[in-house]
Amino acid sequence: MKTEVVKLSQIKTNAANPRQIKDDKFTKLVNSILVFPKMLEIRPIVVDNTFVALGGNMRFRALAYIADMTIEDIKENLAGIRDFNKKTTAEQEALVNYWQLWIDKPTATIIKAAELSDEEKKEFIIKDNVGFGEWDYDLLANDWDAEDLNDWGLDVWQDDYSSEDGSNENSKPAGAPLIDRFVIPPFSILDTRKGYWQKRKTEWRELIGDMGESRNDTLIQSPEIKYKDLYQRTRQHRESLGIGFGEYLEKYVPDEVKEKEAAKILSQGVSLLDPVMAEIVCRWFGLENCKSFDCFAGDSVFGYVSAYLGNEFTGIELREEQVKLNSERVAGMSARYIQDDGQNVANHIEAGSQDLLFSCPPYFDLEKYSDLENDASNQDSYEEFIVIVENAFKNAISCLKDERFAVIVVGDVRDKKTGFYYNFIDDVKRIFKANGVYLYNEIILIETGASTALRASRYMESRKVAKMHQNILVFYKGNPKNIKQSFKKIEYASEDLELFRVDSGNEPEGN
Ligand SMILES: C[S@@+](CC[C@H](N)C(=O)[O-])C[C@H]1O[C@@H](n2cnc3c(N)ncnc32)[C@H](O)[C@@H]1O
C-alpha cells in the first residue's frame, strides 16, 4: 500500500468513531502538528475507499481546525509552543512558510485500506487505537524532559496540583489524578510539608485522638527520653558511680534542673511516626486485610493506622512502659504489642506468616530510649548497635512470607567524635541483601522540622548541611516479576480514602 497526498476536503470524519478527544488534549494535538508537520507524512491518515477516516480521525480533525485558522492565528499559536521556541530563526521561518502555503491548499497524506470488509473496518478502528505496550516510567524520567512529554500529550507527570493549604477541590485536572488514586503522589520524594500531607496528618491526628503535642508528655514517661540531654551528659558520671539513671536522678539531680531538662524535650517534641507515611506504607506495599509487624515498634502510630486500615498488627518493643501505653491506645483494635527484644521476633511470630514488615529502628545513639542492656540505642559502639539491628532484621525477614515487601525507615547518624556519617542506610541495605531481600524503592521523606533553619547556620560553620530527610527503604522478598500478580492494581474509590467512615468497624473502643 502506498501513501498519497489528497485534498483535505476529500476526507470525511468517521461518525461511528468511538474515540473522543478532550479540549486540552485537542489543543496539544493541534500544537504538536503545527510544530512537527513531518509527522503526518510518516503517519498517514488511513481511509476506506469512500475517504472516510478509519485511522487518524483526531489528526484529521486537528488538520481541519488548522485549515480554518489564519496565518496570524498560526503564528500566535506557534509562538506559544516550547518546541517552536527551541528552533533557530531560519527553522521558524520555514515552518511559518510551510503553513502559509498549506492553508492556501490544505492537503493530507493518506493511505487507502480499500479492501477491508465492514467487519474488518470495525476491527481496525479499535485495534488501531489500542496501546498494548506500557511506558517504562524510569526510562521516560531519565531520558526525556517532563515538560516535553506533557506538551506532547503524554499523561505521565500529573504533578501535585494542590495548593499549599491543601485546598485542591476546584483545580483537579481531568482524568484520575495521582493524589486521588494513591493518597499521595507516588514519587521517590515524599514531601511532608505539602498542604495535602499536612491536611491528611491533621485528619489522622483527630482520628487517633490525643497524639499531638500533648501526647509527648505521656510518651516520654521513660526518664531516659524525658531527660534525654541529661541522660547523655551524665553517662560517664553514672558509670563512675556504678548506678543507674533512675537512682542518679533521685540522688544527684535537683527538681528545678529536672524541670528545665524535661521542658527542653517537650519543646523539641519526641519523634512520633508520621501517620500519613504509615498509611501509604500500608496502602502501597501491604495487602488488603493483611498481617503486618514491626520488630522495633516504638510508638503506637503504625499499629493504630495499620489496624484501622484493616490489618492485623504485631509490634515487638523492648520498653515495658511503651508497650503498656501502646496497648491502651489500640485497645479493641486488631493490633497487639509484645514486650521483648526485637532480636527474638521469631519467638513470637510464626515463620513465613506475615505480609508486611515495617520498621523504624533506633538511629544508633541519636535518641536514647532506655538504659536496658539490649536497647539498640544504648550500645557503646556503632558496631554493637548494628549487630542488634542485623539479628532483629534477619529474624524478622524469616517471619515474612515470600512475595512481600519490607519497608524500613532509616536516617543516617554522625559519629559524635569524628563528625562523619556511619553510613547506617547502606548497612541496612547490606543486611537485607545478605538475607536475600533486595532493595526495590528508595524514597526520601522530607520533613518540616521547625528548628532546621535555626540549626542550619550553626551547622554550616563546620560545613554540615542540616538534614531534613529520612530514607524509606522498600525491599522485596521474592521475584519482582510476580508483584503484579500478588498485589492488585491500586484503585481507590474516594470513599475508601475517607478516614472518618461511620461503618469502618475498626474504631477502637472508647475512642
Ligand atoms: C526509632 S524508635 C521507633 C520509631 C518509631 N517507629 C517512632 O518513630 O517513634 C525505636 C524503638 O526501638 C526500641 N528498641 C530499641 N532496642 C530494641 C530492641 N533490641 N528490641 C526491640 N525494640 C527496641 C526503642 O525502645 C524505640 O521505641
Side-chain angles (χ1 to χ4, degrees):
M1 265 183 249
K2 64 180 182 28
T3 60
E4 43 184 310
V5 177
V6 299
K7 279 190 197 163
L8 190 69
S9 56
Q10 280 181 266
I11 307 171
K12 292 167 232 148
T13 12
N14 181 359
N17 181 29
R19 291 256 302 175
Q20 300 295 330
I21 189 164
K22 295 215 174 77
D23 288 352
D24 61 325
K25 277 285 173 70
F26 186 69
T27 309
K28 279 182 182 163
L29 180 61
V30 167
N31 286 347
S32 168
I33 290 173
L34 279 177
V35 84
F36 191 26
K38 267 189 210 161
M39 181 86 186
L40 293 170
E41 292 162 33
I42 310 165
R43 294 214 60 190
I45 294 167
V46 182
V47 295
D48 67 6
N49 49 6
T50 63
F51 283 91
V52 169
L54 299 176
N57 265 281
M58 303 307 153
R59 271 171 284 145
F60 169 60
R61 275 179 52 191
L63 278 178
Y65 179 87
I66 296 171
D68 283 342
M69 291 170 91
T70 65
I71 192 65
E72 293 313 316
D73 292 337
I74 291 177
K75 279 190 199 166
E76 205 183 306
N77 257 50
L78 283 171
I81 304 172
R82 279 177 355 104
D83 284 337
F84 181 74
N85 293 311
K86 286 186 204 162
K87 292 185 186 297
T88 62
T89 314
E91 286 168 336
Q92 290 180 347
E93 280 171 10
L95 201 57
V96 171
N97 284 341
Y98 171 92
W99 287 113
Q100 173 85 67
L101 290 173
W102 188 86
I103 52 172
D104 284 346
K105 265 195 204 145
T107 54
T109 307
I110 57 145
I111 191 160
K112 258 197 193 150
E115 68 282 9
L116 295 186
S117 68
D118 283 353
E119 278 312 303
E120 282 171 332
K121 279 183 203 170
K122 279 175 83 177
E123 192 176 335
F124 173 83
I125 290 168
I126 301 299
K127 289 192 172 172
D128 186 43
N129 285 306
V130 172
F132 285 106
E134 281 190 27
W135 294 107
D136 180 331
Y137 292 132
D138 283 344
L139 212 64
L140 283 178
N142 290 334
D143 293 351
W144 273 269
D145 179 277
E147 269 187 88
D148 281 346
L149 293 175
N150 191 39
D151 286 352
W152 301 342
L154 199 71
D155 278 337
V156 181
W157 321 122
Q158 289 165 1
D159 211 350
D160 152 34
Y161 53 84
S162 60
S163 59
E164 284 301 307
D165 66 2
S167 58
N168 53 18
E169 295 319 317
N170 301 322
S171 50
K172 286 181 185 173
L178 294 172
I179 196 161
D180 282 358
R181 286 169 58 201
F182 304 110
V183 184
I184 296 296
F187 297 137
S188 63
I189 287 185
L190 297 178
D191 192 344
T192 68
R193 299 166 304 176
K194 292 278 187 199
Y196 53 74
W197 190 292
Q198 292 293 325
K199 194 168 162 241
R200 194 142 184 102
K201 191 164 162 179
T202 309
E203 282 180 45
W204 270 115
R205 288 243 160 113
E206 280 171 27
L207 186 71
I208 297 176
D210 185 23
M211 284 293 282
E213 303 308 303
S214 61
R215 201 165 118 67
N216 280 338
D217 202 21
T218 33
L219 244 189
I220 56 180
Q221 276 175 349
S222 129
E224 290 83 2
I225 298 179
K226 193 165 180 177
Y227 312 109
K228 193 169 85 174
D229 282 4
L230 192 72
Y231 175 75
Q232 282 166 12
R233 281 206 316 269
T234 59
R235 192 184 192 105
Q236 263 187 340
H237 191 195
R238 287 187 333 261
E239 276 169 11
S240 66
L241 295 167
I243 57 172
F245 191 49
E247 193 180 341
Y248 185 84
L249 279 175
E250 222 177 280
K251 292 191 178 151
Y252 295 89
V253 187
D255 283 350
E256 60 275 18
V257 173
K258 274 191 220 149
E259 246 169 65
K260 235 171 81 187
E261 291 289 328
K264 239 169 43 184
I265 301 303
L266 262 185
S267 65
Q268 286 167 15
V270 174
S271 54
L272 273 173
L273 197 82
D274 189 309
V276 183
M277 177 182 67
E279 178 182 9
I280 58 172
V281 167
C282 291
R283 290 194 190 272
W284 294 358
F285 304 112
L287 292 166
E288 242 172 77
N289 303 325
C290 75
K291 288 187 174 164
S292 58
F293 73 118
D294 183 347
C295 50
F296 294 104
D299 66 59
S300 60
V301 174
F302 192 83
Y304 188 106
V305 170
S306 193
Y308 187 81
L309 297 175
N311 303 333
E312 201 181 294
F313 173 81
T314 308
I316 314 290
E317 164 60 48
L318 193 66
R319 286 175 298 117
E320 191 181 357
E321 69 278 9
Q322 185 77 60
V323 169
K324 254 176 75 187
L325 196 69
N326 289 357
S327 304
E328 284 164 24
R329 294 298 312 169
V330 299
M333 300 179 87
S334 56
R336 63 177 179 145
Y337 287 89
I338 296 167
Q339 192 218 333
D340 199 355
D341 184 335
Q343 297 176 89
N344 300 331
V345 56
N347 295 352
H348 305 281
I349 297 177
E350 208 181 309
S353 66
Q354 302 292 299
D355 300 292
L356 173 66
L357 164 62
F358 171 82
S359 199
C360 176
Y363 301 171
F364 184 34
D365 56 0
L366 196 67
E367 257 180 7
K368 295 234 173 168
Y369 293 94
S370 70
D371 252 349
L372 299 169
E373 203 186 326
N374 294 344
D375 187 329
S377 69
N378 180 36
Q379 301 302 305
D380 287 337
S381 68
Y382 176 78
E383 288 68 28
E384 286 164 276
F385 155 76
I386 272 295
V387 168
I388 296 182
V389 173
E390 182 147 19
N391 286 337
F393 283 160
K394 182 176 165 227
N395 292 326
I397 288 168
S398 75
C399 299
L400 190 64
K401 279 186 197 154
D402 284 338
E403 308 300 342
R404 295 293 185 266
F405 287 101
V407 180
I408 311 295
V409 176
V410 278
D412 213 342
V413 245
R414 292 181 191 275
D415 180 329
K416 291 198 174 82
K417 288 194 199 104
T418 66
F420 286 121
Y421 275 126
Y422 284 111
N423 212 2
F424 177 37
I425 296 155
D426 279 11
D427 278 332
V428 173
K429 292 179 190 169
R430 173 187 57 74
I431 291 168
F432 274 77
K433 194 173 169 185
N435 288 284
V437 178
Y438 297 92
L439 186 66
Y440 194 64
N441 289 306
E442 179 155 4
I443 302 170
I444 302 299
L445 183 81
I446 301 179
E447 292 172 306
T448 4
S451 61
T452 312
L454 291 173
R455 282 184 285 135
S457 59
R458 185 162 45 83
Y459 282 3
M460 273 306 272
E461 285 167 20
S462 48
R463 298 302 187 272
K464 285 178 187 152
V465 291
K467 197 160 150 296
M468 51 183 288
H469 73 276
Q470 295 183 67
N471 302 49
I472 306 179
L473 306 178
V474 182
F475 298 94
Y476 191 65
K477 181 180 179 183
N479 182 349
K481 287 210 171 77
N482 300 328
I483 291 176
K484 280 192 194 163
Q485 285 149 31
S486 307
F487 292 78
K488 69 173 197 202
K489 203 167 168 185
I490 297 182
E491 262 164 345
Y492 298 113
S494 51
E495 314 82 85
D496 296 339
L497 299 177
E498 290 290 334
L499 292 182
F500 294 93
R501 319 184 284 266
V502 231
D503 61 342
S504 78
N506 289 324
E507 297 267 355
E509 278 165 18
N511 199 39

